[in-house]
Amino acid sequence: MIQIKKVNTDNDLKEFIAFPYNLYKNCKQYVPDMKQDMQNLVNPHKNPALSFCKYQLFLAYKENAVVGRVMAIINPRANETWHSKYVRFGYIDFIDDIKVSEKLLDTVAKWGRKHGMTMIQGPMGFTDYDKEGMLIDDFDLTGSMATIYNYPYYKEHMETLGYTKEADWISVRVKIPQSLPPRFERIAKIIKDKYNLTVTTIPKSQMYGKSGHEVFHLLNKAYTPLFGFTPFDEAQINALLKQYVPLLNYKMMPLVYNDKKELIGVAITLPSLSRALQKSKGQLWPFGWFHLLKALKWHYEDTVELMLIGVRPDYHGLGVNSLFFEHLFKVCTGLGFKYAETCPQLETNLKELSQWKDLNPQYVKPRRCWKKEI
């Protein structure tokens, strides 16, 4: 018999956080979350989204052992923006037992109906900078810091339980060429000259102040039309800057300004931390910090992750992305990277996906947001 329990105590939370480490302990592709990050996710002093989102964590038990977990989330800002009544499920993991996954999702649906929701969707987080999208193929490829990895049977469970596709994302992986295709260099020069654009970088220290807020205000404008997105407020921006600026290499974050010194484009990239996170086993202490610092400073993995690219809407379609490619090509080849991989891109974002065509791209790791009426 499957029993569902609300997570109400510190011990419950420890079990919630620990479950995927046990479920995936023999999985070479799984990249764990840092346990501290998971604790911060449900700490109102660390996660400003909790000031307006409702949530509840649940654990599933079978014969007194944890066999699944899920988080139920209601983001009223997103529902208002998209004129919807969605309860989200996120951070879902379960053993290969359809009764477990069914019980977890039914619990989220029931919780959502109690709060007036009419649809369930997921996996989604509190915001778009949380992990989202269930992996539906390429299970043999190693995961990443910014994405969900799950076993193949997850997809089978969702289909059996009557969930359907709402949106799909896909990542783009390219081998960094020995020389940049001439088209990128040509377009970059034309764009810089025609629109008086400047590509530059800034020290990390400046990101904590005005410059960091400018970056996120730009991303708000760039991402507003995309599926499920809601703009970040100042408290959320401050929290994101505090969390991610320490990881940045300023050389790998080109900024584009126009002749009025207005920020019109940004690309944020990081060395892959997949192997470092696997070695850390989700803990900074006693040696996790060393593996992460090594991957960020001393011995890069062979892949660079393109975390975020944003261009101000009135500059869309002008070739601004060519400026990012030109800058990052020089930096990444200089640092010895062999591959580049994007974070998930909506499959419907054809302009974004088509820009890679000259680099012989692989479209990998498709992932899905599921939905169902409740």
PDB file of all heavy atoms in Angstrom, residues 296-317:
ATOM      1  N   LEU A 296      35.819  25.147 -11.948  1.00  0.00           N
ATOM      2  CA  LEU A 296      35.565  26.543 -12.291  1.00  0.00           C
ATOM      3  C   LEU A 296      36.856  27.327 -12.552  1.00  0.00           C
ATOM      4  O   LEU A 296      36.838  28.300 -13.309  1.00  0.00           O
ATOM      5  CB  LEU A 296      34.789  27.234 -11.168  1.00  0.00           C
ATOM      6  CG  LEU A 296      33.307  26.888 -11.034  1.00  0.00           C
ATOM      7  CD1 LEU A 296      32.764  27.406  -9.712  1.00  0.00           C
ATOM      8  CD2 LEU A 296      32.511  27.476 -12.184  1.00  0.00           C
ATOM      9  N   LYS A 297      37.960  26.896 -11.935  1.00  0.00           N
ATOM     10  CA  LYS A 297      39.160  27.731 -11.961  1.00  0.00           C
ATOM     11  C   LYS A 297      40.388  27.059 -12.581  1.00  0.00           C
ATOM     12  O   LYS A 297      41.163  27.704 -13.287  1.00  0.00           O
ATOM     13  CB  LYS A 297      39.522  28.139 -10.522  1.00  0.00           C
ATOM     14  CG  LYS A 297      38.445  28.943  -9.802  1.00  0.00           C
ATOM     15  CD  LYS A 297      38.309  30.344 -10.357  1.00  0.00           C
ATOM     16  CE  LYS A 297      37.334  31.172  -9.524  1.00  0.00           C
ATOM     17  NZ  LYS A 297      37.152  32.542 -10.069  1.00  0.00           N
ATOM     18  N   TRP A 298      40.590  25.768 -12.308  1.00  0.00           N
ATOM     19  CA  TRP A 298      41.899  25.180 -12.605  1.00  0.00           C
ATOM     20  C   TRP A 298      41.892  24.151 -13.719  1.00  0.00           C
ATOM     21  O   TRP A 298      42.833  24.056 -14.489  1.00  0.00           O
ATOM     22  CB  TRP A 298      42.467  24.512 -11.338  1.00  0.00           C
ATOM     23  CG  TRP A 298      42.501  25.404 -10.152  1.00  0.00           C
ATOM     24  CD1 TRP A 298      42.790  26.738 -10.142  1.00  0.00           C
ATOM     25  CD2 TRP A 298      42.219  25.049  -8.805  1.00  0.00           C
ATOM     26  NE1 TRP A 298      42.709  27.238  -8.857  1.00  0.00           N
ATOM     27  CE2 TRP A 298      42.357  26.219  -8.009  1.00  0.00           C
ATOM     28  CE3 TRP A 298      41.880  23.852  -8.171  1.00  0.00           C
ATOM     29  CZ2 TRP A 298      42.160  26.218  -6.646  1.00  0.00           C
ATOM     30  CZ3 TRP A 298      41.688  23.847  -6.797  1.00  0.00           C
ATOM     31  CH2 TRP A 298      41.831  25.022  -6.051  1.00  0.00           C
ATOM     32  N   HIS A 299      40.875  23.336 -13.778  1.00  0.00           N
ATOM     33  CA  HIS A 299      40.869  22.255 -14.759  1.00  0.00           C
ATOM     34  C   HIS A 299      39.464  22.112 -15.325  1.00  0.00           C
ATOM     35  O   HIS A 299      38.620  21.418 -14.772  1.00  0.00           O
ATOM     36  CB  HIS A 299      41.310  20.940 -14.106  1.00  0.00           C
ATOM     37  CG  HIS A 299      41.426  19.808 -15.083  1.00  0.00           C
ATOM     38  ND1 HIS A 299      42.436  19.750 -16.030  1.00  0.00           N
ATOM     39  CD2 HIS A 299      40.664  18.705 -15.290  1.00  0.00           C
ATOM     40  CE1 HIS A 299      42.284  18.653 -16.746  1.00  0.00           C
ATOM     41  NE2 HIS A 299      41.219  18.007 -16.324  1.00  0.00           N
ATOM     42  N   TYR A 300      39.237  22.798 -16.444  1.00  0.00           N
ATOM     43  CA  TYR A 300      37.903  22.799 -17.037  1.00  0.00           C
ATOM     44  C   TYR A 300      37.553  21.435 -17.626  1.00  0.00           C
ATOM     45  O   TYR A 300      38.427  20.698 -18.103  1.00  0.00           O
ATOM     46  CB  TYR A 300      37.816  23.842 -18.163  1.00  0.00           C
ATOM     47  CG  TYR A 300      38.033  25.260 -17.713  1.00  0.00           C
ATOM     48  CD1 TYR A 300      38.969  26.069 -18.354  1.00  0.00           C
ATOM     49  CD2 TYR A 300      37.290  25.802 -16.665  1.00  0.00           C
ATOM     50  CE1 TYR A 300      39.170  27.383 -17.956  1.00  0.00           C
ATOM     51  CE2 TYR A 300      37.489  27.111 -16.263  1.00  0.00           C
ATOM     52  CZ  TYR A 300      38.429  27.894 -16.908  1.00  0.00           C
ATOM     53  OH  TYR A 300      38.615  29.198 -16.507  1.00  0.00           O
ATOM     54  N   GLU A 301      36.264  21.097 -17.595  1.00  0.00           N
ATOM     55  CA  GLU A 301      35.780  19.960 -18.355  1.00  0.00           C
ATOM     56  C   GLU A 301      35.813  20.356 -19.835  1.00  0.00           C
ATOM     57  O   GLU A 301      36.117  21.491 -20.189  1.00  0.00           O
ATOM     58  CB  GLU A 301      34.367  19.587 -17.903  1.00  0.00           C
ATOM     59  CG  GLU A 301      34.318  19.128 -16.447  1.00  0.00           C
ATOM     60  CD  GLU A 301      32.932  18.737 -15.977  1.00  0.00           C
ATOM     61  OE1 GLU A 301      32.077  18.435 -16.826  1.00  0.00           O
ATOM     62  OE2 GLU A 301      32.699  18.739 -14.750  1.00  0.00           O
ATOM     63  N   ASP A 302      35.483  19.422 -20.728  1.00  0.00           N
ATOM     64  CA  ASP A 302      35.637  19.724 -22.156  1.00  0.00           C
ATOM     65  C   ASP A 302      34.464  20.496 -22.747  1.00  0.00           C
ATOM     66  O   ASP A 302      34.502  20.901 -23.907  1.00  0.00           O
ATOM     67  CB  ASP A 302      35.878  18.443 -22.961  1.00  0.00           C
ATOM     68  CG  ASP A 302      34.698  17.476 -22.917  1.00  0.00           C
ATOM     69  OD1 ASP A 302      33.648  17.822 -22.320  1.00  0.00           O
ATOM     70  OD2 ASP A 302      34.822  16.373 -23.475  1.00  0.00           O
ATOM     71  N   THR A 303      33.434  20.748 -21.928  1.00  0.00           N
ATOM     72  CA  THR A 303      32.215  21.377 -22.432  1.00  0.00           C
ATOM     73  C   THR A 303      31.924  22.689 -21.713  1.00  0.00           C
ATOM     74  O   THR A 303      32.058  22.778 -20.494  1.00  0.00           O
ATOM     75  CB  THR A 303      31.007  20.431 -22.261  1.00  0.00           C
ATOM     76  OG1 THR A 303      31.253  19.225 -22.997  1.00  0.00           O
ATOM     77  CG2 THR A 303      29.722  21.069 -22.759  1.00  0.00           C
ATOM     78  N   VAL A 304      31.515  23.673 -22.484  1.00  0.00           N
ATOM     79  CA  VAL A 304      31.032  24.928 -21.917  1.00  0.00           C
ATOM     80  C   VAL A 304      29.518  24.957 -22.073  1.00  0.00           C
ATOM     81  O   VAL A 304      28.983  24.531 -23.105  1.00  0.00           O
ATOM     82  CB  VAL A 304      31.681  26.151 -22.607  1.00  0.00           C
ATOM     83  CG1 VAL A 304      31.386  26.193 -24.091  1.00  0.00           C
ATOM     84  CG2 VAL A 304      31.245  27.448 -21.942  1.00  0.00           C
ATOM     85  N   GLU A 305      28.812  25.392 -21.041  1.00  0.00           N
ATOM     86  CA  GLU A 305      27.353  25.427 -21.067  1.00  0.00           C
ATOM     87  C   GLU A 305      26.861  26.852 -21.315  1.00  0.00           C
ATOM     88  O   GLU A 305      27.260  27.782 -20.611  1.00  0.00           O
ATOM     89  CB  GLU A 305      26.776  24.891 -19.760  1.00  0.00           C
ATOM     90  CG  GLU A 305      27.084  23.412 -19.546  1.00  0.00           C
ATOM     91  CD  GLU A 305      26.369  22.828 -18.350  1.00  0.00           C
ATOM     92  OE1 GLU A 305      25.459  23.501 -17.800  1.00  0.00           O
ATOM     93  OE2 GLU A 305      26.704  21.701 -17.945  1.00  0.00           O
ATOM     94  N   LEU A 306      26.042  27.013 -22.354  1.00  0.00           N
ATOM     95  CA  LEU A 306      25.471  28.314 -22.681  1.00  0.00           C
ATOM     96  C   LEU A 306      24.182  28.450 -21.888  1.00  0.00           C
ATOM     97  O   LEU A 306      23.137  27.937 -22.271  1.00  0.00           O
ATOM     98  CB  LEU A 306      25.206  28.406 -24.181  1.00  0.00           C
ATOM     99  CG  LEU A 306      26.421  28.088 -25.070  1.00  0.00           C
ATOM    100  CD1 LEU A 306      26.034  28.153 -26.538  1.00  0.00           C
ATOM    101  CD2 LEU A 306      27.560  29.045 -24.782  1.00  0.00           C
ATOM    102  N   MET A 307      24.274  29.129 -20.764  1.00  0.00           N
ATOM    103  CA  MET A 307      23.165  29.163 -19.816  1.00  0.00           C
ATOM    104  C   MET A 307      22.021  30.060 -20.288  1.00  0.00           C
ATOM    105  O   MET A 307      20.861  29.654 -20.333  1.00  0.00           O
ATOM    106  CB  MET A 307      23.660  29.654 -18.447  1.00  0.00           C
ATOM    107  CG  MET A 307      24.824  28.855 -17.885  1.00  0.00           C
ATOM    108  SD  MET A 307      24.392  27.151 -17.491  1.00  0.00           S
ATOM    109  CE  MET A 307      23.393  27.411 -16.034  1.00  0.00           C
ATOM    110  N   LEU A 308      22.350  31.294 -20.637  1.00  0.00           N
ATOM    111  CA  LEU A 308      21.317  32.270 -20.998  1.00  0.00           C
ATOM    112  C   LEU A 308      21.828  33.172 -22.119  1.00  0.00           C
ATOM    113  O   LEU A 308      22.976  33.639 -22.074  1.00  0.00           O
ATOM    114  CB  LEU A 308      20.948  33.153 -19.796  1.00  0.00           C
ATOM    115  CG  LEU A 308      20.332  32.471 -18.572  1.00  0.00           C
ATOM    116  CD1 LEU A 308      20.314  33.442 -17.397  1.00  0.00           C
ATOM    117  CD2 LEU A 308      18.930  31.991 -18.870  1.00  0.00           C
ATOM    118  N   ILE A 309      20.983  33.417 -23.099  1.00  0.00           N
ATOM    119  CA  ILE A 309      21.262  34.422 -24.121  1.00  0.00           C
ATOM    120  C   ILE A 309      20.005  35.276 -24.256  1.00  0.00           C
ATOM    121  O   ILE A 309      18.912  34.750 -24.471  1.00  0.00           O
ATOM    122  CB  ILE A 309      21.610  33.797 -25.482  1.00  0.00           C
ATOM    123  CG1 ILE A 309      22.919  33.003 -25.392  1.00  0.00           C
ATOM    124  CG2 ILE A 309      21.743  34.879 -26.548  1.00  0.00           C
ATOM    125  CD1 ILE A 309      23.310  32.327 -26.691  1.00  0.00           C
ATOM    126  N   GLY A 310      20.168  36.574 -24.087  1.00  0.00           N
ATOM    127  CA  GLY A 310      19.022  37.472 -24.195  1.00  0.00           C
ATOM    128  C   GLY A 310      19.348  38.693 -25.023  1.00  0.00           C
ATOM    129  O   GLY A 310      20.438  39.275 -24.886  1.00  0.00           O
ATOM    130  N   VAL A 311      18.427  39.085 -25.895  1.00  0.00           N
ATOM    131  CA  VAL A 311      18.580  40.287 -26.730  1.00  0.00           C
ATOM    132  C   VAL A 311      17.324  41.126 -26.581  1.00  0.00           C
ATOM    133  O   VAL A 311      16.204  40.597 -26.587  1.00  0.00           O
ATOM    134  CB  VAL A 311      18.788  39.909 -28.215  1.00  0.00           C
ATOM    135  CG1 VAL A 311      18.844  41.162 -29.083  1.00  0.00           C
ATOM    136  CG2 VAL A 311      20.063  39.083 -28.380  1.00  0.00           C
ATOM    137  N   ARG A 312      17.510  42.411 -26.435  1.00  0.00           N
ATOM    138  CA  ARG A 312      16.360  43.308 -26.281  1.00  0.00           C
ATOM    139  C   ARG A 312      15.439  43.171 -27.495  1.00  0.00           C
ATOM    140  O   ARG A 312      15.928  43.100 -28.634  1.00  0.00           O
ATOM    141  CB  ARG A 312      16.848  44.759 -26.137  1.00  0.00           C
ATOM    142  CG  ARG A 312      15.897  45.640 -25.326  1.00  0.00           C
ATOM    143  CD  ARG A 312      16.534  46.972 -25.004  1.00  0.00           C
ATOM    144  NE  ARG A 312      16.564  47.859 -26.182  1.00  0.00           N
ATOM    145  CZ  ARG A 312      17.097  49.078 -26.177  1.00  0.00           C
ATOM    146  NH1 ARG A 312      17.651  49.536 -25.059  1.00  0.00           N
ATOM    147  NH2 ARG A 312      17.091  49.823 -27.264  1.00  0.00           N
ATOM    148  N   PRO A 313      14.127  43.101 -27.268  1.00  0.00           N
ATOM    149  CA  PRO A 313      13.200  42.787 -28.367  1.00  0.00           C
ATOM    150  C   PRO A 313      13.344  43.652 -29.608  1.00  0.00           C
ATOM    151  O   PRO A 313      13.189  43.160 -30.728  1.00  0.00           O
ATOM    152  CB  PRO A 313      11.826  42.956 -27.711  1.00  0.00           C
ATOM    153  CG  PRO A 313      12.059  42.610 -26.277  1.00  0.00           C
ATOM    154  CD  PRO A 313      13.431  43.150 -25.971  1.00  0.00           C
ATOM    155  N   ASP A 314      13.654  44.953 -29.446  1.00  0.00           N
ATOM    156  CA  ASP A 314      13.750  45.806 -30.627  1.00  0.00           C
ATOM    157  C   ASP A 314      15.022  45.551 -31.433  1.00  0.00           C
ATOM    158  O   ASP A 314      15.206  46.122 -32.519  1.00  0.00           O
ATOM    159  CB  ASP A 314      13.655  47.294 -30.236  1.00  0.00           C
ATOM    160  CG  ASP A 314      14.646  47.698 -29.162  1.00  0.00           C
ATOM    161  OD1 ASP A 314      14.949  46.863 -28.292  1.00  0.00           O
ATOM    162  OD2 ASP A 314      15.113  48.854 -29.181  1.00  0.00           O
ATOM    163  N   TYR A 315      15.899  44.673 -30.934  1.00  0.00           N
ATOM    164  CA  TYR A 315      17.107  44.286 -31.675  1.00  0.00           C
ATOM    165  C   TYR A 315      17.018  42.846 -32.184  1.00  0.00           C
ATOM    166  O   TYR A 315      17.996  42.332 -32.724  1.00  0.00           O
ATOM    167  CB  TYR A 315      18.355  44.461 -30.808  1.00  0.00           C
ATOM    168  CG  TYR A 315      18.817  45.896 -30.702  1.00  0.00           C
ATOM    169  CD1 TYR A 315      18.227  46.774 -29.798  1.00  0.00           C
ATOM    170  CD2 TYR A 315      19.832  46.401 -31.513  1.00  0.00           C
ATOM    171  CE1 TYR A 315      18.633  48.093 -29.695  1.00  0.00           C
ATOM    172  CE2 TYR A 315      20.249  47.712 -31.426  1.00  0.00           C
ATOM    173  CZ  TYR A 315      19.645  48.555 -30.509  1.00  0.00           C
ATOM    174  OH  TYR A 315      20.063  49.876 -30.413  1.00  0.00           O
ATOM    175  N   HIS A 316      15.867  42.217 -32.005  1.00  0.00           N
ATOM    176  CA  HIS A 316      15.702  40.851 -32.509  1.00  0.00           C
ATOM    177  C   HIS A 316      15.810  40.829 -34.040  1.00  0.00           C
ATOM    178  O   HIS A 316      15.365  41.745 -34.718  1.00  0.00           O
ATOM    179  CB  HIS A 316      14.335  40.298 -32.097  1.00  0.00           C
ATOM    180  CG  HIS A 316      14.282  39.855 -30.662  1.00  0.00           C
ATOM    181  ND1 HIS A 316      13.186  39.280 -30.083  1.00  0.00           N
ATOM    182  CD2 HIS A 316      15.222  39.890 -29.689  1.00  0.00           C
ATOM    183  CE1 HIS A 316      13.428  38.993 -28.825  1.00  0.00           C
ATOM    184  NE2 HIS A 316      14.658  39.370 -28.554  1.00  0.00           N
ATOM    185  N   GLY A 317      16.389  39.760 -34.554  1.00  0.00           N
ATOM    186  CA  GLY A 317      16.457  39.568 -35.995  1.00  0.00           C
ATOM    187  C   GLY A 317      17.527  40.370 -36.699  1.00  0.00           C
ATOM    188  O   GLY A 317      17.603  40.355 -37.933  1.00  0.00           O
TER     189      GLY A 317
END
